[in-house]
Amino acid sequence: MALEKMEIGEVGTSLMSSETKPPPARPPNKFERLFQPCLAELVGTTFFVFIGCVSVIENVESAGRLQPALVHGLAVAVMVACMAEISGSHFNPPFTLAIYLCGGMELNMVAPYLASQLVGGVLGAAMAKVMTSRENFSKASGAAFALLQTDSDIGAAVFGEVAMTCLVTMVVLLGAVNTTTRSPMVPFMVGCTVIINILAGGDVSGTCLNPARAFGPAIVHNYWVYHWVYWVGPITGGLIAAVLVRLLLGDRKIRLILK
């Protein structure tokens, strides 16, 4: 009888242990490795640019920069939180380049990510055009960055885009890629950084920080005045952030010198 009880107890223990063991992790298939991340970048960038453009086109004049700042920042935070486990939630070419340079992604995914982001920017701007009135869309230049009108404004605008993109890219790299400073708060951190950047520099350059955000409205509204500023500034800022993390701020795995 005692032997029977022991055997039953052993079987019961075995059953319990087998139930609590997590199932073995299944390696991601080709769709999950290659196509799903690009689709996440496309969808995320589309809705970010769509919401951002609508916030500019339909901006209440009395709200000033506050409405676009809050909308862009909160949209970034929400989309980053939702898509982080699928694609890493870049939605911005300088982020993709900087993350690659800091070892956060494979080279073969860089070009597909960039293409997905630019296409998403165009789709988002087109959606904003469909949703808003023709009068408001035209008045706001389709939410393209129409602030710069003379050559005298270019220097400050380029510097602002470089500095502010460098700041938000460092937040991304240190909050999501660097092991010693990685934080689950990174969606909130990135969103807040976008908000403060727009509030601080919106009247200087428009605070683009993202070539995909500039490219979509430029295509849809055919507005290209000083458009190059919103490529040169953000990409330069992103590269500077990558250099700072790679050389000085990163952990031993990322840092190239002074290990």
Side-chain angles (χ1 to χ4, degrees), residues 161-256:
E161 289 294 311
V162 170
M164 291 185 291
T165 307
C166 180
L167 172 60
V168 71
T169 307
M170 278 199 300
V171 171
V172 170
L173 295 175
L174 295 176
V177 179
N178 192 57
T179 304
T180 57
T181 55
R182 192 176 295 162
S183 170
M185 296 287 289
V186 70
F188 172 78
M189 292 157 54
V190 175
C192 284
T193 308
V194 170
I195 291 172
I196 62 176
N197 276 341
I198 294 175
L199 290 175
D203 283 350
V204 177
S205 67
T207 314
C208 174
L209 318 180
N210 185 339
R213 168 63 181 83
F215 182 68
I219 286 281
V220 173
H221 191 65
N222 195 27
Y223 186 91
W224 300 97
V225 178
Y226 296 116
H227 179 74
W228 61 270
V229 169
Y230 303 105
W231 286 80
V232 172
I235 290 175
T236 303
L239 294 178
I240 291 173
V243 169
L244 288 173
V245 172
R246 205 74 160 119
L247 297 183
L248 300 173
L249 300 176
D251 55 34
R252 290 186 178 179
K253 182 178 178 182
I254 293 178
R255 205 166 60 243
L256 296 177

Side-chain angles (χ1 to χ4, degrees), residues 4-257:
E4 289 178 0
K5 287 183 179 179
M6 185 182 298
E7 289 176 350
I8 292 172
E10 289 175 354
V11 171
T13 304
S14 175
L15 288 174
M16 288 297 294
S17 62
S18 66
E19 287 177 358
T20 56
K21 283 182 181 178
R26 181 177 64 86
N29 58 32
K30 186 175 182 181
F31 172 75
E32 293 167 339
R33 288 195 323 271
L34 302 177
F35 297 106
Q36 193 177 52
C38 293
L39 287 172
E41 288 296 305
L42 175 66
V43 172
T45 308
T46 295
F47 279 99
F48 166 67
V49 174
F50 164 61
I51 295 296
C53 287
V54 170
S55 75
V56 173
I57 296 167
E58 299 294 337
N59 188 25
V60 179
E61 193 169 331
S62 60
R65 295 196 300 273
L66 183 60
Q67 180 174 318
L70 288 175
V71 170
H72 281 83
L74 293 174
V76 165
V78 170
M79 297 310 299
V80 168
C82 288
M83 303 285 194
E85 297 302 320
I86 302 175
S87 69
S89 299
H90 299 188
F91 313 140
N92 189 341
F95 290 177
T96 296
L97 295 175
I99 289 170
Y100 164 69
L101 291 174
C102 290
M105 67 182 301
E106 299 293 331
L107 177 60
N108 68 316
M109 294 302 292
V110 172
Y113 266 44
L114 298 180
S116 299
Q117 292 156 6
L118 293 178
V119 173
V122 175
L123 292 176
M127 289 169 62
K129 183 176 183 179
V130 171
M131 178 175 169
T132 56
S133 68
R134 181 177 299 180
E135 179 184 357
N136 288 347
F137 183 85
S138 179
K139 184 179 177 182
S141 301
F145 292 87
L147 188 67
L148 299 180
Q149 298 296 329
T150 63
D151 290 350
S152 62
D153 299 328
I154 291 179
V158 171
F159 179 79
E161 289 294 311
V162 170
M164 291 185 291
T165 307
C166 180
L167 172 60
V168 71
T169 307
M170 278 199 300
V171 171
V172 170
L173 295 175
L174 295 176
V177 179
N178 192 57
T179 304
T180 57
T181 55
R182 192 176 295 162
S183 170
M185 296 287 289
V186 70
F188 172 78
M189 292 157 54
V190 175
C192 284
T193 308
V194 170
I195 291 172
I196 62 176
N197 276 341
I198 294 175
L199 290 175
D203 283 350
V204 177
S205 67
T207 314
C208 174
L209 318 180
N210 185 339
R213 168 63 181 83
F215 182 68
I219 286 281
V220 173
H221 191 65
N222 195 27
Y223 186 91
W224 300 97
V225 178
Y226 296 116
H227 179 74
W228 61 270
V229 169
Y230 303 105
W231 286 80
V232 172
I235 290 175
T236 303
L239 294 178
I240 291 173
V243 169
L244 288 173
V245 172
R246 205 74 160 119
L247 297 183
L248 300 173
L249 300 176
D251 55 34
R252 290 186 178 179
K253 182 178 178 182
I254 293 178
R255 205 166 60 243
L256 296 177
I257 60 174

